[in-house]
Amino acid sequence: MAKTPSKPKTKGETPKKAPKLPPASEFATSFAEPQGQGGETHQTVQSGAPALTTAQGAPIADDQNSLKQGARGPTLLEDFHLREKIFHFDHERIPERVVHARGYGAHGFFELTDSLADITRADIFQRVGERTPAFVRFSTVAGSKGSADLVRDVRGFAVKLYTQEGNWDIVGNNIPVFFIQDAIKFPDLVHAAKPEPDRAFPQAQTAHDNFWDFISLTPESMHMIMWIMSDRTIPRSFRTMEGFGVHTFRLLDAEGRSTFVKFHWKPKLGLQSVVWNEAVKINGADPDFHRRDLWDAINAGDFPEWELGVQLFDDEFANSFDFDVLDATKIIPEEILPVRVIGRLVLDRVVDNFFAETEQVAFCTQNVPPGIDFSNDPLLAGRNFSYLDTQLKRLGSPNFTHIPINAPKCPVSNFQQDGHMAMRNPVGRANYEPNSWGAEIGGPREDPVRGFRSFAEATEGPKLRIRQESFADHYSQARQFFVSQTPIEQKHIGDALVFELSKVERVDIRARLVSHLMNIDPVLAQTVADGLALDLPEPAVAARPTIQDLPPSDALSIVKNGPPSLEGRKLGILLTDGSDAALFTALTKALDAQNAVFEVVAPKVGGVTLSDGTALAAKHKIDGGPSVLFDAVAVLPSAEGAALLAIDKPAKDFVSDAFAHCKFIGIGAASAPLFDKAGLTEELDEGCLPLGSAKDVDAFLAACGQVRHWPRELAVDLDAQPDA
Ligand code: HDE
């Protein structure tokens, strides 16, 4: 009997059940039902299924053939069923989002763990232990809806919280800063990043002239450039990314007093990314890598979880801070202002229908409940216009809030009426206020106590189109980010810049970008110039000199904030007929115990027969399950199996890619011929651990806890800096 590897479920929370399929016998019955004269299959209500109807509810007798005059005659216009079916199909698509088109969503809840009642009257932050329903959509920015998941890009991290006093949308990213300081530049940024308008390529890539031309003329983007050239833009999973509200917001108490706040989502699984060469291959092997990961994890009961943290500060702190808290190209380092954890976000339910939920969800930064308010960040002001405006284009009606995914889960009552597809229609005579129809039929009234009030900020000054003085330092925090990275992370930033700029055709654009790097870190600039075979240019003219000694911040490194355990990580186990059954059992038990997952890769998807005669189904055939899909691999063939794998190109790629991507590799006792033929025997290092028997399992998994064996890349890569 074939065993399917199974996983223990997380305690206390019930995973979604797999849909029940009819037994095979039922298929047999329905398929045995009348065949049409042309041999087409008719499945009828006799199988117990509900009747197929038109959109108007009329039962349909034949859904296989259009209405014709005579057996070979013309199709008749009268066929309303045909016309209605095709009409609806023709209109299935809605415009994709102008940015963040590719995304994936899930339901869950936010639970408050630390009350903020003394700081804000926002209902969601009052009662510890209370849960608020949530919907989260993760996304890439530049690519179209059908683009691949692991392109180098910022990830959107948009959270809709259905609070009891209205929906609150924290429409954030997995990077805490942004490219530009003023919303008026957003269309230019996005045009420059998207495929070039004459040729319509490259898709979902920033590695082209227009992007780097714009960026190299926009020094305020330099801090963001450091982040997007880091491995933050190739995350291992949505589950291993941070999220950030980016802007400074306000929390308001019942008296209208304000506290500034920045929002942070911190993943329970820690931070983890893939490497670039791996990302490129994942996009081919599984373009849905991130959405599949989220879907699988939630359905297995491994509910993704983030802590919500806040950085709280007052005007005095804001005025004392070196940078402007209204400038979205700046962070407040956690070492200066610690993040206070106040709750957790858990995703525990996949969508029932992708279109209805993930595609139609409409996030708007202007959706804030009483107690939350905006700051004067000029980027945020533009967003507050843009998100509402874009939903009309995308969803086609001002009534998009009537769609279940967008509808608040608290009472909604107002005098808005009519419009396309109105679902929530007021009853009674009064459709205006003030009115004198009395409390019962007069409709809703203002609530001066619970109602939303803006912070009464005093402002004055002339109307000007200017960029604030306090926004002028474009390099100091970019440098701080770079010096906060570990050597391997710094190397990846250099590699990414060389890769991207080598796709730029105009040498002057490459040089202009390197001139900005001179103001960030001269060694990085030199590395990139060397990688492009470019003479080092003069530093770019800077509005403010770079502060050289901002202290490094550990919070900015992925490697320093890696996974606390193997939980949620995936081992690929390469097996053949005759693989050691006892070793397989010991390894998979140990993985289960640590809440890690595994998938079996074998020459045929039908599986293998282990040494004790057990038949084991495989998840992948070798070229369908390349090692890029896994965090680490165990290569455990039998002696006969290893001899076969040694002449199989996908098997050799499996091990050489795992090696090149610095993965930990468990090496089975009989696997030498494969490593030999893959040309790796001489190279094997401490990241390649013997996995000959059950007693080796603990040491192998302990090593895997380090995520990647980075010394391997620093030692073998041609681009590696001697002093990295
Ligand atoms: Fe967006 N952005 N954005 N953005 N953004 C959109 O809204 C916009 C910005 C972000 O999963 C659009 O519904 C402007 C920063 C996410 O549905 C649009 C500016 C941050 C999502 C829009 C910005 C974001 C969007 C496109 C500069 C991080 C996906 C479709 C002023 C804090 C939400 C849509 C989802 C989507 C405008 C800058 C995050 C056009 C004008 C900064 C996560 O309204």
Side-chain angles (χ1 to χ4, degrees), residues 1 10 30 38 70 89 166 168 178 208 252 312 448-449 604 618-619 724:
M1 259 281 286
T10 307
S30 48
F89 168 77
W168 176 27
F178 202 61
H208 60 109
L252 303 182
L312 300 170
V449 178
K604 292 189 178 160
K619 172 83 179 175

Side-chain angles (χ1 to χ4, degrees), residues 5 27 83 118 127 131 201 247 256 286 290 308 496 696 714 719:
F27 277 123
R83 282 186 287 109
D118 54 333
R127 297 165 293 277
R131 291 183 174 188
F201 61 81
H247 312 281
D286 185 4
H290 282 152
L308 175 63
D696 298 328
L714 291 169
D719 305 332

Side-chain angles (χ1 to χ4, degrees), residues 39 110 210 325 356 506 610 624 641:
F110 169 75
N210 279 6
V325 299
R506 274 178 46 198
L610 297 178

Side-chain angles (χ1 to χ4, degrees), residues 293-588:
D293 172 87
L294 190 70
W295 177 268
D296 285 351
I298 295 176
N299 279 327
D302 293 333
F303 301 136
E305 189 170 330
W306 289 261
E307 286 174 340
L308 175 63
V310 287
Q311 283 179 302
L312 300 170
F313 55 100
D314 55 16
D315 284 285
E316 200 184 332
F317 174 91
N319 295 333
S320 70
F321 186 52
D322 283 343
F323 304 93
D324 200 320
V325 299
L326 303 182
D327 175 357
T329 68
K330 304 298 185 302
I331 58 162
I332 304 177
E334 295 184 27
E335 287 76 7
I336 295 182
L337 187 61
V339 172
R340 171 172 159 194
V341 173
I342 57 164
R344 65 183 192 122
L345 171 73
V346 178
L347 298 182
D348 61 358
R349 184 161 62 88
V350 296
V351 294
D352 288 325
N353 181 283
F354 177 86
F355 177 84
E357 294 151 71
T358 307
E359 194 58 12
Q360 293 200 114
V361 67
F363 295 94
C364 298
T365 51
Q366 65 167 26
N367 291 354
V368 287
I372 316 275
D373 201 0
F374 313 112
S375 70
N376 286 339
D377 178 340
L379 204 60
L380 182 55
R383 296 182 73 198
N384 286 342
F385 162 70
S386 179
Y387 288 71
L388 181 65
D389 182 49
T390 204
Q391 308 312 347
L392 192 59
K393 170 80 179 171
R394 232 164 48 74
L395 300 168
S397 160
N399 292 320
F400 70 86
T401 56
H402 299 194
I403 299 171
I405 193 69
N406 295 322
K409 296 188 194 300
C410 63
V412 173
S413 197
N414 55 45
F415 298 103
Q416 294 172 14
Q417 66 174 32
D418 306 349
H420 286 295
M421 314 289 169
M423 296 289 158
R424 202 174 54 218
N425 296 301
V427 290
R429 192 158 176 186
N431 59 353
Y432 58 92
E433 61 87 28
N435 66 56
S436 58
W437 290 101
E440 249 172 56
I441 55 169
R445 298 291 190 243
E446 294 165 358
D447 186 338
V449 178
R450 284 179 62 228
F452 183 90
R453 284 183 195 278
S454 300
F455 177 61
E457 186 177 5
T459 54
E460 59 175 31
K463 278 186 197 163
L464 298 168
R465 279 190 195 275
I466 50 155
R467 192 65 59 88
Q468 300 82 321
E469 267 297 301
S470 52
F471 283 33
D473 181 346
H474 302 319
Y475 300 109
S476 301
Q477 285 206 350
R479 174 176 174 76
Q480 181 179 36
F481 178 81
F482 185 70
V483 300
S484 301
Q485 306 300 305
T486 58
I488 189 69
E489 292 174 295
Q490 290 191 341
K491 176 179 179 300
H492 287 173
I493 292 173
D495 289 350
L497 282 160
V498 171
F499 175 87
E500 296 264 321
L501 293 174
S502 64
K503 298 280 181 185
V504 169
E505 288 166 9
R506 274 178 46 198
V507 178
D508 61 314
I509 297 177
R510 296 181 200 158
R512 203 189 303 136
L513 196 279
V514 176
S515 74
H516 291 291
L517 299 180
M518 292 288 287
N519 291 335
I520 297 173
D521 186 86
V523 178
L524 174 65
Q526 183 71 62
T527 307
V528 176
D530 287 350
L532 297 167
L534 190 79
D535 290 337
L536 205 57
E538 288 296 310
V541 176
R544 287 272 178 289
T546 312
I547 304 170
Q548 298 291 326
D549 57 355
L550 289 180
S553 161
D554 281 352
L556 304 182
S557 155
I558 298 173
V559 169
K560 288 181 188 159
N561 295 280
S565 71
L566 288 190
E567 184 178 344
R569 316 242 319 269
K570 192 186 279 182
L571 184 73
I573 308 180
L574 180 55
L575 299 177
T576 63
D577 282 340
S579 287
D580 184 343
L583 172 57
F584 175 77
T585 307
L587 179 60
T588 51

Side-chain angles (χ1 to χ4, degrees), residues 96-100 103 137-141 155-158 170-173 175 177-180 182-184 186-187 244-247 328 358 361-365 378-383 385-391 394:
E96 68 171 34
R97 289 166 173 83
V98 60
V99 281
H100 295 264
R137 182 175 179 271
F138 303 104
S139 49
T140 53
V141 181
R155 298 300 183 288
F157 192 124
I170 311 180
V171 198
N173 279 345
I175 287 178
V177 290
F178 202 61
F179 295 93
I180 48 170
D182 191 311
I184 201 164
F186 192 65
F244 302 92
V246 176
H247 312 281
T358 307
V361 67
F363 295 94
C364 298
T365 51
L379 204 60
L380 182 55
R383 296 182 73 198
F385 162 70
S386 179
Y387 288 71
L388 181 65
D389 182 49
T390 204
Q391 308 312 347
R394 232 164 48 74

